Amino acid sequence: MRIDIITVVPDILKSPFEASILQRAIKKGLVEIHLHNLRDYTTDNYKTVDDYQFGGGAGMVMMIEPIDKCISKLKSEREYQEVIYMTPDGERLQQKMANRLSLFENIIILCGHYKGVDQRVRDQFITKEISIGDYVLSGGELGAAVLCDSIIRLIPGVLGNETSALTDSFQDNLLAPPVYTRPAEYKGWEVPAVLTSGNFPKIEAWRENEAYERTKRLRPDLLEEE
């Protein structure tokens, strides 16, 4: 899988891909991450990527021309299944969305900044708009990193245990059940006996019930989506 990220501050995005699971995925050749500095696609000496809004109003707007040049160059080199714009008013990122995106070969992620992008960018180039929550950040870079993490960990071979991602929260609209590890007793706090019983059908039934009860208590909205 190849992910091209367009940004005005590429340094923010370097660190997430230089450690842990994402770094290992890149070193294994399971994913390629390419950062593109939007200022490299400007034509003036100041490398201007934003300008004032037509009609007045507070906040600068990302200009269409450098974005067009960058996206057009990338699309001339390969086909992309999605051109994603990270924006607070986009569709909220959910596990099902990450599952679908993880099956793609090439995607572009455009990071919003300032007051946002010229609407013509959204109308002409963007195929999907994604938000990581109902709040506003200084730019789309951190959201892009979150999106990439949620996608990359689902690619076969990235996680050590292939079934690990399948038991994460939000798969099948359920939160994950409680998990425990050694020691089985600590300061009088004991692991549920069923987990040390060796009876795997009972363990699986316990986990399913705990996942359901936890979801019903903490996120009943997920059950309503079924």
Side-chain angles (χ1 to χ4, degrees), residues 179-181 183-196 206:
V179 293
Y180 300 85
T181 189
E185 185 276 331
Y186 181 73
K187 292 185 177 180
W189 307 322
E190 297 183 355
V191 170
V194 64
L195 296 178
T196 58
W206 179 89

Side-chain angles (χ1 to χ4, degrees), residues 32-69:
E32 295 180 26
I33 303 294
H34 297 270
L35 304 180
H36 303 275
N37 190 336
L38 194 59
R39 297 187 189 280
D40 293 338
Y41 295 85
T42 58
T43 56
D44 66 315
N45 292 334
Y46 298 100
K47 296 188 177 297
T48 305
V49 295
D50 62 305
D51 207 339
Y52 294 103
Q53 306 181 51
F54 280 122
M60 306 293 280
V61 177
M62 293 176 69
M63 301 162 66
I64 187 172
E65 184 176 7
I67 296 173
D68 177 18
K69 288 182 177 179

Side-chain angles (χ1 to χ4, degrees), residues 97-129:
M97 186 191 300
N99 291 344
R100 185 178 71 86
L101 292 174
S102 72
L103 301 176
F104 292 166
E105 292 184 8
N106 303 305
I107 62 174
I108 294 173
I109 302 176
L110 171 63
C111 299
H113 219 69
Y114 312 112
K115 194 67 175 178
V117 299
D118 187 303
Q119 181 62 37
R120 290 168 292 184
V121 172
R122 302 171 80 161
D123 295 339
Q124 302 298 324
F125 305 115
I126 302 303
T127 62
K128 191 170 192 62
E129 301 186 353

